């Protein structure tokens, strides 16, 4: 309490000591979970120094944290977490001429790369997590990436470091200029004492992160930056760094090799290296199969033959060398990828390897404990031959060219016996590594998972040298204690382990596909892809830069409730509602989270359970029953228009900035539509928006469908239940769903396509009904017949549209993006001859049904719109047509840019 108050008084930043935040900050991408005492998000370097000084006075450990993508539990601990990612993320200086950048620790790798790409430069090391990992975390883990053959590790690129020591003292360290001060006399003494043993016993490897980089002491003069790289925040916190910028290499292509015996392929690594590739990577069959089953990655595997136990990708800057290589390795069916899209797709799969491995819906998982071994590349095959006898089934991938392998055996994390076997495996592996001159970590670090083995791995003398180094920088062991030296036991603080009590909370929705709600939440492995700043997942994090608003935070809180860490074991908890508050239910995570965590579904369940116990607000009732309200409004339109005009909606918590959408004079179902006599038929699903607000879209759709040769059947109007579902009124939603299925089933059984105009309504039927509706057989038949208007048009050969010179910008609804993609919309628009069609690279528009209408959400809703969508539209010419199929998206575009957007059906009808 005293610590909290003092921090609040003196530190310019956010100070969080509440129970919920501590749970949110208790995980990273490792198998561990430790609740911190509190969290500080400093706004300035001075605030960081003050926080460290205060913690030191209270003898509280300090743990630095970036994006928490570390796989070892390195940023976890029972102390004060300093999160640098939200505010200390500025690039302070870029010097193109001299080729360096000065950055705060929270700068994300890809952001720095984007800032210097125009000059042909980048940061050398490229971690797979580059779209969210911070430079502070990269430096502290001495990160590398696929291109370490060319670029080495982070330690080869850090020229200067500003380091905050435990007491708050600030050190300026340089690898390019002389250093002085009392610390250096200490380092010199260490050098004198240990130089012989370092020279003799420190393994020399292309990649090594285990332990401290003591060989930096042997450089002349001593290189303090190399020493800090890989020290995992145990010597001090980095508040600023100067990093070298490297030339972006020209890529000639990738030569892919396929084979049935990965060990045999590894034997050829030294020969492969003689062709001077810039990377040699491997992915095994387990991961490739997982990619085949992933909605996101299955479309990116055009290069993959049906059967192959492993693929090696060998990357070249020199096309002649690549061809020679291809000629030489004919046995492995070499395929060259030189098309940039194919190369990009390949790297996406390679980078997603780890996440993909973790998407199994089971407690038998490919966990990370011996996932980062590093051995001399020349001995890799022989080492792996022995190593693979330790486990039955594992996912294997890695940087074969530099001898660093990511091996993840499948272990039942709830079995004491299997966890004990895992621990024994690590001890045996350490012995094997000593035999081969290898180490336990080539890029991920020691953290909680491996530090306990450093004494065994390095031997007594080197281990003592590690302790002496630690004592020199941090005599009281308050900087990230228990990492690198004095590690805690392997099975302590497991996130989910044999002793975890799993409370199966009964659910209204069917979670059997996920293996139950507990597994649905526990699918989150913490890899932090939900912190990336592009794509659909996760709009709330993209707008706030705050861990609290990430998918991971939401999954973590759910997990802790289910595991009894945050009693009671009930979803009706206010804290959970708060952490879910900014989830827009956009389904971005269902598509883009490598484990396919489906937070939109879990939020609907949580809202339901919370409201069953505590009741719901009037506003939620109003939004959930929107279809009924609109029905009455259509009977008494003057009342609706009066409410609209007087802005009375704000009485119910609707934002003043928003006006209620206009009510059409005619309901779509009441309009007499003349259609030509046509042989084939389709059903047009008349959703709530078309029925009450935009019947013109329905009319346009009929026109287009008639032109394609179909008679259009319009069944009686029924709401699909989406508004009720997203507000957690699940009983209500089920009732509506079952009524609608009854109406649609006969058409589906007659194999008549059912076309949807409003993406959120169509995907309600295709996706959400599967867990909502009890009549599974009927829903499967109906869902199969349902198709978006876009996909239906796209699959037709139709060339009778009038030519156009229009430029079209397409914004796809987030549910459509997540479950179908944008291709069909683009293809449908490209049928207009002469049209120039561009996709807007944005995620959710920010409106998300009723979310953006709510008073407390309107600002964040507009902020999300302003990330990519609004600027792209504002920067387009006034006459550019904007295509947006979602009713809320069109409202949001109007409110955010004052530009009108049109449904695809309206645009196509214009050109008939
Ligand atoms: C799917 C996946 C793929 C990965 N692929 C790679 C890869 O290709 N290459 C690779 O090298 N790593 C990889 N990693 C590991 C991890 O992403 C990297 O090590 C990354 O650099 C960590 O950055 P972060 O910001 O997430 O750090 P965090 O996880 O937040 O922290 C990591 C360590 O750095 C310390 N730290 C953070 N900030 C500071 C600071 N300012 N001062 C001092 N110490 C600090 C923390 O205390 C902790 O010990 C992967 C991880 C995942 C989940
Ligand atoms: S929600 Fe998905 S993307 Fe986010 S941390 Fe969890 S597994 Fe990773
Ligand atoms: S549904 Fe959307 S907003 Fe909610 S957690 Fe997933 S990506 Fe984030």
């Amino acid at each position: 309490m005293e610590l909290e108050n003092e921090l609040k008084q003196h530190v310019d930043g956010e100070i969080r000591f509440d129970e919920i935040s501590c749970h949110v900050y208790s995980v990273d991408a490792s198998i561990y979970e430790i609740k911190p005492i509190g969290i500080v998000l400093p706004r300035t370097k001075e605030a960081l120094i003050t926080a460290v000084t205060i913690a030191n006075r209270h003898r509280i450990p300090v743990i630095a944290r970036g994006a928490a993508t570390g796989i070892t539990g390195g940023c976890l601990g029972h102390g004060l977490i300093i999160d640098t990612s939200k505010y200390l993320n500025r690039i302070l200086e870029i010097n193109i001429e001299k080729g360096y950048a000065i950055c705060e620790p929270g700068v994300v790798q890809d952001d720095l790369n984007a800032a210097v790409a125009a000059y042909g430069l980048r940061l050398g090391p490229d971690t797979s997590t580059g779209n969210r990992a911070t430079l502070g975390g990269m430096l502290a883990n001495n990160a590398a990436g696929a291109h370490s053959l060319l670029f080495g590790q982070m330690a080869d690129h850090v020229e200067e470091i500003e380091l905050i020591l435990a007491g708050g003292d600030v050190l300026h360290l340089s690898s390019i200029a002389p250093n002085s001060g009392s610390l250096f006399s200490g380092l010199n003494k260490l050098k004198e004492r240990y130089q012989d043993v370092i020279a003799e016993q420190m393994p020399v490897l292309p990649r090594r992160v285990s332990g401290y980089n003591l060989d930096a002491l042997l450089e002349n003069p001593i290189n303090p930056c190399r020493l800090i790289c890989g020290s995992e925040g145990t010597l001090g916190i980095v508040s600023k760094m100067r990093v070298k910028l490297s030339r972006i290499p020209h890529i000639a292509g990738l030569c892919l090799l396929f084979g049935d015996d990965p060990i045999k392929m590894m034997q050829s690594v030294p020969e492969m290296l003689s062709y001077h590739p810039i990377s040699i990577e491997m992915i095994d069959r387990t991961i490739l199969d997982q990619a085949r089953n992933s909605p996101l990655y299955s479309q990116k595997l055009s290069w993959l033959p049906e059967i192959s136990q492993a693929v090696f990708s060998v990357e070249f800057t020199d096309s002649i060398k690549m061809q020679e290589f291809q000629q030489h390795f004919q046995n492995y069916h070499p395929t060259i990828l030189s098309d940039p899209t194919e190369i990009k797709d390949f790297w996406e799969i390679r980078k997603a390897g780890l996440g993909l491995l973790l998407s199994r819906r089971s407690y038998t998982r490919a966990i990370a404990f011996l996932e980062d071994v590093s051995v001399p590349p020349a001995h890799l095959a022989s080492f792996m031959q022995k190593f693979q006898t330790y486990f039955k089934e594992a996912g294997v991938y890695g940087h074969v060219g530099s001898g660093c392998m990511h091996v993840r055996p499948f272990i039942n994390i709830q079995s004491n016996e299997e966890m004990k076997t895992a621990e024994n495996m690590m001890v045996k592996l350490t012995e094997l590594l000593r035999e081969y001159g290898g180490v336990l970590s080539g890029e991920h670090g020691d953290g909680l998972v491996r530090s306990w083995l450093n004494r065994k791995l390095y031997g007594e003398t080197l281990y003592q040298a590690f302790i002496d180094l630690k004592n020199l920088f941090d005599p009281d062991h308050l900087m990230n204690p228990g990492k690198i030296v004095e590690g805690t036991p392997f099975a302590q603080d497991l996130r989910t382990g044999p002793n975890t009590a799993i409370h199966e909370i009964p659910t209204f929705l069917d979670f059997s596909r996920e293996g139950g709600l507990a597994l649905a939440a526990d699918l989150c492995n913490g890899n932090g892809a939900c912190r990336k700043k592009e794509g659909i997942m996760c709009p709330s994090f993209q707008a706030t830069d705050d861990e609290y608003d990430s998918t991971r935070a939401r999954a973590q809180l759910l997990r802790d409730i289910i595991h009894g860490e945050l009693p009671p074991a009930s979803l009706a908890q206010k804290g959970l509602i708060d952490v879910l508050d900014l989830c827009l239910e956009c389904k971005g995570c269902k598509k883009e989270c490598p484990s396919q965590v489906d937070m939109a579904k879990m939020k609907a369940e949580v809202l339901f359970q919370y409201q069953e116990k505590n009741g719901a607000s009037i506003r939620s009732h109003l939004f959930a029953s929107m279809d009924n309200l609109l029905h009455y409004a259509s009977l008494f339109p003057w009342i609706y228009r009066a409410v609209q005009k007087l802005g009375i909606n704000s009485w119910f918590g609707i934002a003043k900035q928003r006006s209620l959408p206009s009510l059409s004079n005619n309901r779509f179902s009441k309009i007499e539509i003349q259609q030509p006599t046509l042989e084939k038929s389709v059903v047009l699903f008349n959703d709530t928006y078309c029925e009450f607000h935009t019947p013109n879209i329905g009319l346009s759709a009929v026109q287009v469908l008639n032109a394609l040769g179909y008679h259009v059947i319009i069944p009686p109007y029924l709401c699909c239940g989406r508004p009720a579902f997203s507000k957690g009124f699940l009983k209500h939603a089920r009732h509506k769903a079952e009524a609608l299925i009854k109406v649609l089933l006969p058409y589906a059984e007659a194999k008549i396509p059912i076309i949807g105009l409003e993406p959120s309504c169509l995907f309600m039927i295709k996706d959400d009904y599967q867990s909502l509706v009890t009549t599974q057989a009927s829903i499967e038949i109906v869902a199969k017949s349902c198709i978006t208007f876009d996909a239906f048009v796209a699959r037709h050969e139709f060339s009778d549209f009038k030519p156009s010179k229009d430029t079209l910008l397409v914004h796809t609804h987030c549910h459509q993006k997540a479950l179908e993609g944008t291709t069909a919309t683009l293809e449908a628009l490209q049928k207009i001859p002469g049209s120039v069609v561009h996709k807007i690279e944005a995620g959710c528009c920010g409106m998300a049904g009723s979310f953006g209408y709510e008073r407390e959400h309107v600002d964040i809703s507009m902020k999300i719109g302003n990330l990519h969508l609004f600027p792209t539209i504002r920067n387009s010419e006034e006459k550019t047509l904007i295509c947006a199929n979602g009713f809320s998206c069109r409202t949001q575009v109007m409110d955010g840019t004052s530009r009108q957007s049109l449904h695809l059906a309206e645009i196509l009808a214009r050109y008939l």
Side-chain angles (χ1 to χ4, degrees):
M1 200 61 188
E2 219 182 298
L3 170 71
E4 181 184 353
N5 288 340
E6 220 177 304
L7 289 167
K8 280 188 173 153
Q9 229 175 337
H10 299 289
V11 174
D12 175 15
E14 292 182 51
I15 316 295
R16 300 180 186 166
F17 275 64
D18 60 285
E19 180 78 3
I20 301 299
S21 298
C22 290
H23 279 273
V24 164
Y25 275 85
S26 64
V27 288
D28 60 357
S30 72
I31 53 174
Y32 296 102
E33 169 168 351
I34 304 180
K35 231 171 79 184
I37 293 172
I39 305 107
V40 176
L41 295 94
R43 288 201 174 85
T44 61
K45 178 179 91 183
E46 290 67 33
L48 195 166
I49 297 171
T50 313
V52 172
T53 315
I54 293 174
N56 188 257
R57 222 174 19 245
H58 288 263
R59 316 311 281 164
I60 297 291
V62 171
I63 303 123
R65 176 171 166 129
T69 65
I71 306 179
T72 68
C75 69
L76 308 180
H78 188 66
L80 187 70
I81 303 274
I82 309 250
D83 178 351
T84 60
S85 67
K86 185 167 178 182
Y87 299 113
L88 295 181
N89 54 16
R90 289 159 287 217
I91 301 173
L92 303 172
E93 184 189 336
I94 291 176
N95 191 324
I96 297 299
E97 229 168 65
K98 295 190 175 154
Y100 69 81
I102 299 180
C103 300
E104 290 184 325
V107 169
V108 169
Q109 180 196 324
D110 279 3
D111 291 347
L112 173 61
N113 285 343
V116 297
Y119 305 98
L121 297 173
R122 57 174 267 191
L123 178 72
D126 50 351
T127 69
S128 306
T129 46
N131 57 6
R132 65 251 194 218
T134 64
L135 297 187
M138 288 179 72
L139 184 154
N141 277 354
N142 199 4
H147 295 97
S148 67
L149 289 179
L150 191 62
F151 293 121
Q153 293 183 269
M154 202 56 185
D156 302 309
H157 300 264
V158 177
E159 298 179 327
E160 282 175 353
I161 292 175
E162 186 179 73
L163 191 73
I164 316 296
L165 296 181
D169 290 339
V170 182
L171 286 183
H172 297 275
L173 308 171
S174 175
S175 64
I176 48 174
N179 297 282
S180 59
S182 60
L183 185 101
F184 281 87
S185 61
L187 287 178
N188 275 315
K189 279 189 196 140
L190 271 185
K191 177 176 180 170
E192 276 165 33
R193 202 175 320 146
Y194 292 110
Q195 56 188 347
D196 293 344
V197 70
I198 294 171
E200 263 168 40
Q201 294 181 15
M202 226 37 217
V204 180
L205 293 160
R207 291 169 182 230
R208 192 198 59 225
V209 184
S210 298
Y212 290 115
N213 281 331
L214 289 184
D215 42 358
L217 294 175
L218 306 189
E219 286 182 37
N220 199 5
I222 290 172
N223 181 350
C225 293
R226 186 174 293 280
L227 208 50
I228 300 304
C229 286
S231 67
E232 304 187 20
T234 61
L235 304 181
I237 295 189
V238 176
S239 52
K240 197 163 80 176
M241 71 188 82
R242 170 174 149 154
V243 289
K244 204 161 71 181
L245 299 172
S246 306
R247 286 253 134 245
I248 300 175
H250 157 79
I251 305 298
L254 292 180
C255 183
L256 302 185
L257 305 179
F258 304 95
D260 290 332
D261 184 351
I263 300 287
K264 201 163 156 224
M265 292 172 87
M266 283 176 201
Q267 282 167 355
S268 307
V269 165
E271 204 180 350
M272 292 179 192
L273 285 169
S274 70
Y275 287 81
H276 305 293
I278 59 165
S279 72
I280 311 180
E281 300 283 298
M282 175 206 151
I283 317 178
D284 81 342
R285 178 73 190 258
T286 317
I287 296 171
L288 294 173
D289 285 348
Q290 213 67 30
R292 281 194 177 103
N293 295 330
S294 148
L296 183 58
Y297 298 110
S298 53
Q299 306 136 18
K300 302 182 178 204
L301 292 169
S302 55
W303 44 268
L304 184 65
E306 263 308 298
I307 309 161
S308 159
Q309 289 304 322
V311 52
F312 275 40
S313 79
V314 189
E315 190 178 20
F316 289 91
T317 50
D318 178 341
S319 47
I320 310 254
K321 278 263 171 258
M322 181 162 69
Q323 278 156 19
E324 287 170 11
F325 181 90
Q326 184 187 21
Q327 279 306 315
H328 187 80
F329 286 97
Q330 282 299 316
N331 288 353
Y332 293 125
H333 320 288
T335 303
I336 301 262
L337 298 187
S338 43
D339 172 56
T341 317
E342 280 185 328
I343 293 179
K344 194 168 151 263
D345 285 353
F346 174 84
W347 280 117
E348 268 186 45
I349 305 275
R350 163 61 194 82
K351 286 185 173 192
L354 216 154
L356 282 166
L357 261 182
L358 295 172
S359 56
R360 271 203 194 173
R361 282 136 171 77
S362 155
Y363 286 109
T364 297
R365 300 200 176 142
I367 60 166
F369 60 112
L370 36 72
E371 87 296 346
D372 196 29
V373 288
S374 177
V375 293
H379 304 310
L380 182 64
S382 142
F383 166 79
M384 284 302 290
Q385 179 113 46
K386 290 189 186 163
F387 183 25
Q388 68 180 11
T389 60
Y390 292 14
F391 44 82
K392 280 196 219 103
E393 192 197 0
V396 181
Y397 67 102
H399 316 288
V400 279
S402 40
C404 179
M405 294 303 294
H406 301 319
V407 179
R408 287 186 167 237
F410 284 87
I411 302 282
N412 180 349
I413 53 174
Q414 290 198 300
S415 150
N416 251 320
E417 208 186 332
E418 289 204 24
M419 288 306 281
K420 195 72 210 154
T421 309
E423 189 173 336
N424 292 339
M425 225 187 264
M426 291 185 83
V427 176
K428 257 172 70 184
L429 171 67
T430 309
E431 284 157 9
L432 185 66
L433 284 165
R434 275 186 73 103
E435 202 183 297
Y436 277 86
V439 291
L440 283 158
S441 172
E443 60 180 11
H444 295 163
D446 294 329
L448 295 169
V449 73
R450 284 181 280 269
S451 296
W452 61 285
L453 285 164
N454 273 339
R455 186 190 288 267
K456 188 173 181 66
L457 181 69
Y458 284 104
E460 285 302 330
T461 320
L462 280 180
Y463 189 72
Q464 187 55 49
F466 291 166
I467 300 260
D468 291 353
L469 181 75
K470 169 83 175 168
N471 289 339
L472 185 66
F473 279 83
D474 176 29
D476 298 323
H477 292 207
L478 285 172
M479 302 307 278
N480 207 1
K483 320 287 158 58
I484 302 187
V485 290
E486 297 166 347
T488 46
F490 170 67
Q492 187 174 306
D493 302 313
L494 291 174
R495 189 167 65 194
T496 308
N499 300 324
T500 308
I502 295 171
H503 302 266
E504 272 301 349
I505 298 172
T507 56
F508 185 87
L509 294 176
D510 176 9
F511 280 89
S512 56
R513 270 187 301 173
E514 292 88 345
L517 179 66
L519 262 176
D522 206 29
L523 265 182
C524 170
N525 56 68
N527 71 66
C530 44
R531 290 179 58 105
K532 67 189 170 57
K533 296 293 231 164
E534 82 278 290
I536 333 174
M537 171 182 73
C538 170
S540 52
F541 177 82
Q542 291 189 25
T544 66
D545 264 332
D546 199 316
E547 178 69 24
Y548 191 88
D549 301 319
S550 66
T551 317
R552 173 166 65 183
R554 294 166 187 144
Q556 169 55 10
L557 215 61
L558 267 162
R559 173 169 40 219
D560 271 356
I561 288 172
I562 294 165
H563 289 184
E565 300 280 338
L566 192 63
S570 151
L571 300 188
Q573 293 199 33
K574 176 73 173 65
L576 182 58
I577 293 289
D578 287 347
V579 122
L580 284 167
D581 183 47
L582 294 191
C583 168
L584 291 95
E585 298 171 74
C586 70
K587 293 183 189 276
C589 42
K590 183 167 177 160
K591 177 171 189 195
E592 292 184 355
C593 159
S595 298
Q596 291 153 39
V597 166
D598 187 354
M599 194 49 67
K601 179 173 170 184
M602 289 191 269
K603 179 171 179 179
E605 181 68 44
V606 171
L607 287 176
F608 169 73
Q609 299 211 14
Y610 186 81
Q611 287 165 180
E612 284 287 290
K613 190 164 173 215
N614 302 297
S617 67
I618 298 180
R619 186 181 67 187
S620 292
H621 277 285
L622 291 176
F623 279 131
S625 332
M626 205 172 73
D627 54 318
N628 290 332
L629 288 178
L630 287 167
H631 167 72
Y632 291 113
S634 69
L635 297 178
F636 307 102
W638 54 272
I639 301 185
Y640 184 86
R641 291 190 181 114
V643 172
Q644 209 179 13
K645 202 164 167 195
L646 297 170
I648 299 171
N649 41 307
S650 66
W651 293 357
F652 302 104
I654 294 171
K656 277 202 185 108
Q657 299 92 314
R658 303 283 192 189
S659 46
L660 292 181
S662 320
L663 196 66
S664 164
N665 291 331
N666 291 314
R667 288 176 62 159
F668 184 56
S669 57
K670 306 268 188 251
I671 300 173
E672 288 271 332
I673 305 173
Q674 302 298 326
Q675 297 189 56
T677 321
L678 294 159
E679 238 173 69
K680 292 180 287 182
S681 295
V682 288
V683 170
L684 185 66
F685 166 50
N686 178 17
D687 59 74
T688 298
Y689 305 98
C690 178
E691 172 70 0
F692 295 105
H693 299 299
T694 52
N696 51 314
I697 293 178
L699 293 174
S700 300
V702 173
Q703 241 183 305
V704 176
L705 293 167
N706 286 165
L708 294 182
Y710 294 90
H711 174 77
V712 181
I713 304 164
I714 301 161
Y717 162 70
L718 278 180
C719 170
C720 65
R722 161 69 65 204
F725 185 86
S726 47
K727 285 282 152 207
F729 290 69
L730 299 184
K731 288 182 184 162
H732 207 57
R734 179 178 284 171
H735 187 67
K736 289 189 179 301
E738 292 182 344
L740 181 60
I741 288 186
K742 244 190 222 155
V743 170
L744 297 181
L745 187 61
Y747 301 113
E749 283 173 336
K751 304 235 174 318
I752 304 177
I754 300 165
I755 295 173
L757 294 169
E758 176 63 34
S760 65
C761 302
L762 187 85
F763 289 106
M764 176 80 193
I765 305 174
K766 276 183 93 65
D767 186 44
D768 301 282
Y769 275 16
Q770 310 214 358
S771 46
L772 177 69
V773 176
T774 47
T775 47
Q776 275 306 312
S778 321
I779 177 56
E780 268 166 36
I781 300 170
V782 172
K784 248 190 219 149
S785 296
C786 284
I787 180 168
T788 56
F789 178 77
D790 319 33
F792 190 77
V793 174
R795 67 154 78 142
H796 283 78
E797 293 293 330
F798 183 80
S799 49
D800 287 355
F801 289 113
K802 282 188 266 176
S804 138
K805 285 191 181 134
D806 286 333
T807 301
L808 288 142
L809 277 180
V810 181
H811 170 72
T812 316
H813 187 283
C814 50
H815 289 179
Q816 190 169 356
K817 260 190 214 120
L819 299 168
E820 178 177 281
T822 304
T823 314
T825 321
L826 300 177
E827 283 175 8
L829 284 168
Q830 275 151 359
K831 290 186 188 295
I832 305 170
S835 62
V836 180
V837 187
H838 298 290
K839 167 175 147 188
I840 300 179
E841 295 295 344
C844 174
C845 67
M847 185 64 104
S850 60
F851 180 89
Y853 278 95
E854 294 164 352
R855 188 187 292 147
E856 70 282 17
H857 293 149
V858 66
D859 289 343
I860 182 122
S861 160
M862 295 312 268
K863 208 168 167 192
I864 292 169
N866 265 313
L867 290 171
H868 306 287
L869 177 63
F870 298 164
T872 315
I873 292 176
R874 284 192 205 110
N875 291 337
S876 69
E877 281 186 41
E878 199 64 33
K879 60 178 190 199
T880 303
L881 287 181
I882 299 149
C883 174
N885 285 353
F887 182 81
S888 6
C889 310
R890 290 192 297 275
T891 312
Q892 178 79 331
V893 167
M894 175 55 83
D895 288 358
T897 65
S898 306
R899 297 267 291 271
Q900 203 197 354
S901 47
L902 300 168
H903 191 284
L904 171 68
E906 292 176 288
I907 296 177
L908 293 180
R910 282 185 177 196
Y911 295 97
L912 283 175

